[in-house]
C-alpha cells in the first residue's frame, strides 16, 4: 500500500482517487474549495461532477494543501490546466526532493507555450514529474469500465512504479519515455474535439467526424514530431486513442462545447452551459502560436481559433477547410511510380514516370 495525495476534486481527480483507493492505497484528496471538501466528506458522492459514484469512507478530504503532500509516496495533480501553475506554486514549499507528481490534466500555457509538466518542473524543480493520459473519461473510470492509459516519466523506474500504483483489472497502464508526445497529443486533441462538436452541431454526419479525426491526428503528429515528440505516441493511446473518444463521447466537455457553438452559441455561452473547464478553448491559441513557431500547417486548428476568437461562423470555417487547395495526403512518401498500362497487339507495354508530390 502507498500513500497518495490527489490535488483537485473535480470529476477526473475524484475518479482517480477512487481508483487508487480500490487498489488499496491510502488516499487524501485536496480541494481549494472548503464547501466542496465538506460536501464530499458528508455526501460521499460528487453529485454535480460524478453523480452516482459512491466514495468510500476510507478516502479523506482536506482543504489544507500541505496535508495532501506531506509524507505522500506520490501525488496526482488533477486541477484544470489553467490552474496548474498556480497550484504548483502552492505545492512547492511542501514537496520533498524526488517526490513523485503525476499530472493528469491536459493543456498548453498560452503565454509561455509550455506543457503542464514543464510548468510543474519550473515551479517545483525538486519533484519527479510524470504524466498520465489516454482514453479515460472520468464518468466511465468512476464506474470501473475498462480502459487503457499510458504513463510517461523521465526514468523507467518512475514509470514502472506508477504503472504498478494505477493498474488493475479495469485500468491497464502502459509506460513511455515520451512525456512531450503524450502531453501534446492529450492537449491538442481537445481542439480537434471542439471541431468535431461544431460539425455535430451543424448537423454533419459520421463521414465528417471520421475525416476530422483522421486529418486532426495528422495535424497533431506533424507539429508534435517537429517539436521532438515520437510518432508512436500520436498513433497510440494518448494520440489517436484519446482523440477518438474525445471527439465521439457524450461525456466529452470539448465536444459538447463545440456542439453548442455549431448550433449558434458563442464561445462563452457554450462554456457557461457546459459548466466545467473546456480545456480545448485554452489550448487553441497556444496551438496556433506553436504552429507558427515551428512553421507547421494546422488548418483545422486555425479554423477553430477563428471561430472561437475572431468571430468567424462555423459554417464558413467548414467551407474554407473544404475549399483549400488540393493536397497530397502524405507528402513524406517521397517519389513513387505511377504505372500506365497500355495493351497493344496482344502484349503489354508499361510506362513509368517519377512523381514528386511537392
Amino acid at each position: 500500500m502507498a500513500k497518495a495525495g490527489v490535488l483537485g476534486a473535480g470529476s477526473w481527480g475524484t475518479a482517480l482517487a477512487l481508483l487508487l483507493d480500490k487498489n488499496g492505497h491510502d488516499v487524501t484528496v485536496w480541494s481549494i474549495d472548503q464547501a466542496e471538501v465538506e460536501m464530499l466528506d458528508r455526501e460521499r458522492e460528487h453529485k454535480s461532477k460524478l453523480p452516482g459514484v459512491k466514495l468510500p469512507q476510507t478516502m479523506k478530504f482536506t482543504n489544507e494543501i500541505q496535508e495532501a503532500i506531506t509524507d505522500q509516496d506520490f501525488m496526482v495533480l488533477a486541477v484544470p490546466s489553467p490552474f496548474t501553475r498556480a497550484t504548483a506554486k502552492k505545492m512547492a514549499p511542501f514537496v520533498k526532493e524526488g517526490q513523485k507528481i503525476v499530472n493528469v490534466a491536459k493543456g498548453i500555457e498560452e503565454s509561455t507555450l509550455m506543457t503542464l509538466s514543464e510548468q510543474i518542473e519550473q515551479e517545483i524543480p525538486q519533484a519527479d514529474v510524470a504524466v498520465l493520459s489516454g482514453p479515460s473519461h472520468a464518468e466511465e473510470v468512476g464506474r470501473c469500465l475498462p480502459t487503457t492509459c499510458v504513463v510517461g516519466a523521465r526514468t523507467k523506474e518512475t514509470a514502472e512504479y506508477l504503472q504498478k500504483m494505477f493498474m488493475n483489472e479495469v485500468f491497464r497502464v502502459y509506460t513511455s519515455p515520451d512525456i512531450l508526445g503524450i502531453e501534446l497529443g492529450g492537449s491538442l486533441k481537445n481542439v480537434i474535439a471542439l471541431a468535431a462538436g461544431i460539425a455535430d452541431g451543424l448537423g454533419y454526419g459520421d463521414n465528417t467526424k471520421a475525416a476530422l479525426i483522421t486529418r486532426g491526428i495528422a495535424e497533431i503528429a506533424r507539429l508534435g514530431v517537429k517539436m521532438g515528440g515520437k510518432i508512436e505516441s500520436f498513433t497510440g493511446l494518448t494520440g489517436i486513442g484519446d482523440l477518438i473518444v474525445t471527439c465521439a463521447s457524450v461525456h466529452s466537455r470539448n465536444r459538447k462545447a463545440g456542439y453548442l457553438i455549431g448550433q449558434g452559441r458563442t464561445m462563452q455561452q457554450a462554456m457557461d452551459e457546459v459548466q466545467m473547464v473546456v480545456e480545448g478553448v485554452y489550448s487553441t491559441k497556444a496551438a496556433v502560436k506553436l504552429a507558427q513557431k515551428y512553421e507547421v500547417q494546422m488548418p483545422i486548428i486555425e479554423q477553430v481559433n477563428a471561430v472561437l476568437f475572431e468571430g468567424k461562423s462555423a459554417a464558413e470555417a467548414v467551407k474554407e477547410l473544404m475549399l483549400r487547395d488540393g493536397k497530397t495526403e502524405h507528402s513524406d512518401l517521397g517519389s513513387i511510380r505511377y504505372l500506365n498500362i497500355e495493351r497493344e497487339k496482344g502484349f503489354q507495354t508499361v510506362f513509368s514516370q517519377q512523381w514528386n508530390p511537392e
Side-chain angles (χ1 to χ4, degrees):
M1 181 182 77
K3 295 182 67 177
V6 178
L7 294 104
S11 57
W12 190 212
T14 303
L16 286 175
L18 180 60
L19 171 75
L20 293 169
D21 180 90
K22 288 181 179 293
N23 283 1
H25 305 309
D26 182 1
V27 180
T28 300
V29 181
W30 170 83
S31 171
I32 197 171
D33 185 349
Q34 179 63 33
E36 184 174 51
V37 169
E38 293 173 357
M39 179 273 294
L40 289 168
D41 196 38
R42 180 181 65 254
E43 302 291 339
R44 293 286 149 176
E45 180 184 351
H46 207 315
K47 293 186 177 180
S48 64
K49 296 182 179 177
L50 211 59
V53 176
K54 297 300 180 182
L55 306 175
Q57 293 294 327
T58 47
M59 284 175 56
K60 298 182 287 291
F61 301 94
T62 182
N63 186 235
E64 299 293 331
I65 197 167
Q66 183 175 356
E67 188 177 344
I69 298 172
T70 303
D71 296 328
Q72 304 293 344
D73 294 306
F74 67 97
M75 290 160 290
V76 177
L77 186 50
V79 299
S81 59
F83 309 114
T84 295
R85 184 180 291 278
T87 305
K89 285 182 178 179
K90 291 178 182 291
M91 296 170 65
F94 311 110
V95 177
K96 297 184 302 183
E97 184 70 34
Q99 203 167 3
K100 295 175 178 59
I101 299 175
V102 189
N103 177 63
V104 298
K106 298 166 183 176
I108 300 167
E109 191 172 44
E110 182 189 347
S111 60
T112 65
L113 302 184
M114 294 173 72
T115 64
L116 301 188
S117 70
E118 289 171 339
Q119 295 172 49
I120 299 164
E121 289 173 333
Q122 188 175 68
E123 299 296 339
I124 318 174
Q126 71 273 28
D128 182 3
V129 180
V131 297
L132 177 74
S133 188
S136 51
H137 283 306
E139 294 82 356
E140 296 188 1
V141 172
R143 291 165 53 206
C144 298
L145 301 181
T147 191
T148 57
C149 284
V150 57
V151 62
R154 303 294 179 197
T155 67
K156 184 179 181 182
E157 178 185 21
T158 295
E160 291 181 345
Y161 171 83
L162 294 170
Q163 178 185 46
K164 183 179 179 181
M165 293 298 102
F166 283 93
M167 198 159 84
N168 61 28
E169 68 276 11
V170 295
F171 197 81
R172 181 169 177 79
V173 182
Y174 292 84
T175 62
S176 169
D178 186 19
I179 293 179
L180 177 62
I182 290 170
E183 289 196 278
L184 289 173
S187 301
L188 299 179
K189 58 89 182 177
N190 285 330
V191 186
I192 303 300
L194 283 168
I198 289 170
D200 286 343
L202 288 168
Y204 299 148
D206 294 339
N207 293 343
T208 312
K209 184 170 291 183
L212 280 169
I213 290 172
T214 306
R215 295 310 304 167
I217 198 63
E219 290 189 17
I220 293 170
R222 194 156 55 228
L223 175 63
V225 170
K226 192 77 174 286
M227 290 178 64
K230 303 303 179 185
I231 188 64
E232 291 83 359
S233 295
F234 304 111
T235 60
L237 291 167
T238 189
I240 191 66
D242 206 359
L243 180 62
I244 289 170
V245 76
T246 310
C247 288
S249 175
V250 296
H251 301 307
S252 169
R253 66 190 71 173
N254 292 281
R255 192 208 67 84
K256 182 177 180 181
Y259 178 82
L260 294 170
I261 292 169
Q263 289 198 317
R265 309 312 200 274
T266 65
M267 177 192 70
Q268 191 58 53
Q269 288 171 338
M271 292 176 68
D272 291 343
E273 192 165 335
V274 171
Q275 295 184 332
M276 289 189 286
V277 174
V278 182
E279 292 185 318
V281 170
Y282 295 93
S283 295
T284 300
K285 283 186 177 180
V288 171
K289 288 181 179 180
L290 284 171
Q292 294 169 347
K293 178 179 178 179
Y294 288 93
E295 299 181 337
V296 172
Q297 290 189 350
M298 303 186 78
I300 297 173
I301 287 175
E302 288 168 2
Q303 292 296 335
V304 171
N305 184 71
V307 171
L308 293 180
F309 301 109
E310 298 172 7
K312 178 178 282 188
S313 74
E316 183 62 26
V318 173
K319 182 179 178 181
E320 286 196 23
L321 279 173
M322 296 300 291
L323 293 178
R324 293 169 61 239
D325 291 342
K327 306 283 184 180
T328 182
E329 184 178 20
H330 297 293
S331 61
D332 59 348
L333 286 179
S335 296
I336 64 172
R337 291 181 180 274
Y338 275 134
L339 298 180
N340 298 314
I341 301 175
E342 184 180 290
R343 297 183 181 276
E344 295 179 0
K345 299 179 182 180
F347 66 90
Q348 180 174 290
T349 305
V350 179
F351 301 91
S352 67
Q353 64 183 32
Q354 289 289 329
W355 174 58
N356 188 332
E358 296 299 320

